[in-house]
Amino acid sequence: MTTLSVIILTQGRETLARTLASLGPAGLRSRDQVLVMGDGYNADAERVVRESGLKQARYIVTPSAVDWGNTPRNIALAKYARRDYVAFVD
């Protein structure tokens, strides 16, 4: 079966809860993964991920960088995305 890594970049994203809620109806499977990449630590983002109800979701903190999300995206690809395909939700 084909699997998917969904990568979501966040830095105080007000729509994070809605974004995560939209993934449920999208048909995620149990072996898919959702990586919410924080550009620096954000307690609200961590809480939203935890409360999303998505078992596949994981909040990962990356060093804060002023590069429009390039560092978290590259870290996600290099270290965490382990499925057959990758989808970015920006």
Side-chain angles (χ1 to χ4, degrees):
M1 173 181 7
T2 302
T3 57
L4 179 66
S5 292
V6 179
I7 299 172
I8 303 169
L9 306 178
T10 189
Q11 184 181 38
R13 178 187 290 238
E14 295 176 11
T15 59
L16 182 58
R18 194 170 32 170
T19 300
L20 291 169
S22 74
L23 295 176
L28 288 178
R29 298 183 190 112
S30 61
R31 293 189 62 220
D32 294 336
Q33 66 181 162
V34 178
L35 305 170
V36 179
M37 304 301 294
D39 190 0
Y41 177 72
N42 183 300
D44 287 335
E46 184 176 41
R47 178 188 51 77
V48 168
V49 171
R50 187 177 54 251
E51 294 175 357
S52 72
L54 288 174
K55 295 176 186 173
Q56 306 94 326
R58 180 175 173 199
Y59 179 63
I60 300 166
V61 179
T62 62
S64 187
V66 184
D67 63 359
W68 302 100
N70 293 324
T71 296
R73 181 187 308 265
N74 290 335
I75 291 171
L77 287 171
K79 293 186 177 182
Y80 299 103
R82 297 290 179 245
R83 302 305 187 255
D84 299 322
Y85 293 94
V86 173
F88 291 100
V89 179
D90 289 341

